[in-house]
Amino acid sequence: MKHTNILLAGATGYLGSFVLNALIENQNQVLAIVRNPNKLKNNNENFLEVKQAEVTKPDTLRDICKGIDTVISTVGITRQKEGLTYLDVDYKANMNLLVEAKKAGVKHFVYVSAINGNKYRNLKIFEAKEKFVDALKSSGLNYTIVRPNGFFSDMKDFLQMAKSGRVYLFGSGNQKFNPIHGKDLATFIVDNLEETNKEFTIGGPDVLSLNDISKLALNTLNKPIRIIHLPDWMRKLTIWSLRTFTSVKTYGPIEFFLTLMAEDNIAPTYGEHHLKEFYVQEVKTI
């Protein structure tokens, strides 16, 4: 089904920009709402309309969903800034969209959370996302929840560490997962717009251990393989110290990373982009 009217929120973010391209390639009519229209060049006026609005400010969204069939929200923060909390953005901003969607009779709302969000509701990042998932499921709208297993963009942290010549891991480093490229995830979302009232957990094509990813990062930078394995109690102590002595702004992303990295998180494999190639491209820009 093409030409459906789709509202995309978060179009200038890492994932959102890939979703926007995939929608336009499929000739969908898209309304992209962005805080700063200068960030989005509209070369596709046949298929794309750009509107300035702020999802955190409900008055800027008034009647934004008129004539819209499907809302796709990739709105969320990984690293907090501008004094906004996870609850402000991942929960409240998406609720603002949901209120407008219900008012306008939107048929389908697609929301991107993350793998095992329900299991890890105690983490600050997930608390807000899953609160919105609950609201969406009970809203009466057709919904799709997409749960990616980490993005390639998050894997830049390993490259940053590898630059110094060594990578630090907690525990054995045998914990496995399969991060996904934003472009592959966007393709999946757009290809599954007909599916409703489902939750999809999805990862990239390669299941890799933390040791594998560390080696990839070091190899890409032509560094000798030096991986330092720290005892797991240090990981727990780090989480405790951060929660105790820093603000949620600092500890949110690290708490998330250190908790999920303690065990395997393997999602169904999908896509054709490989982390190795992503690293090779990234190194050119470092």
Side-chain angles (χ1 to χ4, degrees), residues 66-172:
K66 258 198 178 136
I68 294 291
D69 300 310
T70 302
V71 171
I72 301 175
S73 175
T74 63
V75 169
I77 36 180
T78 40
R79 289 170 168 76
Q80 292 193 56
K81 49 188 180 288
E82 295 167 25
L84 292 167
T85 66
Y86 294 114
L87 279 171
D88 291 335
V89 179
D90 295 64
Y91 174 65
K92 286 182 190 155
N94 282 303
M95 282 305 291
N96 294 338
L97 276 173
L98 184 57
V99 166
E100 287 295 332
K102 280 177 81 168
K103 199 168 81 181
V106 165
K107 297 185 186 75
H108 184 196
F109 196 116
V110 181
Y111 174 63
V112 182
S113 180
I115 192 171
N116 288 334
N118 203 15
K119 181 175 164 188
Y120 292 114
R121 280 173 181 253
N122 59 317
L123 303 184
K124 280 292 174 211
I125 280 187
F126 281 136
E127 178 192 14
K129 286 186 193 303
E130 293 306 309
K131 199 174 169 181
F132 179 70
V133 167
D134 295 343
L136 177 54
K137 283 181 170 177
S138 60
S139 67
L141 268 66
N142 286 324
Y143 64 83
T144 305
I145 315 291
V146 183
R147 299 184 172 282
N149 190 3
F151 293 136
F152 280 10
S153 54
D154 302 325
M155 299 301 108
K156 289 181 194 174
D157 294 347
F158 287 92
L159 272 183
Q160 289 301 331
M161 262 198 287
K163 265 171 43 178
S164 70
R166 63 190 64 180
V167 175
Y168 293 90
L169 298 176
F170 290 104
S172 67

Side-chain angles (χ1 to χ4, degrees), residues 150-218:
F151 293 136
F152 280 10
S153 54
D154 302 325
M155 299 301 108
K156 289 181 194 174
D157 294 347
F158 287 92
L159 272 183
Q160 289 301 331
M161 262 198 287
K163 265 171 43 178
S164 70
R166 63 190 64 180
V167 175
Y168 293 90
L169 298 176
F170 290 104
S172 67
N174 295 326
Q175 308 91 307
K176 294 187 177 68
F177 69 124
N178 52 322
I180 187 166
H181 193 292
K183 188 171 185 188
D184 284 334
L185 183 57
T187 302
F188 178 84
I189 290 170
V190 173
D191 285 353
N192 285 280
L193 283 177
E194 299 300 297
E195 302 282 341
T196 56
N197 302 337
K198 289 194 175 164
E199 292 190 45
F200 294 105
T201 297
I202 178 171
D206 306 317
V207 176
L208 301 162
S209 71
L210 293 177
N211 288 323
D212 295 335
I213 292 173
S214 306
K215 284 176 192 161
L216 260 185
L218 289 158

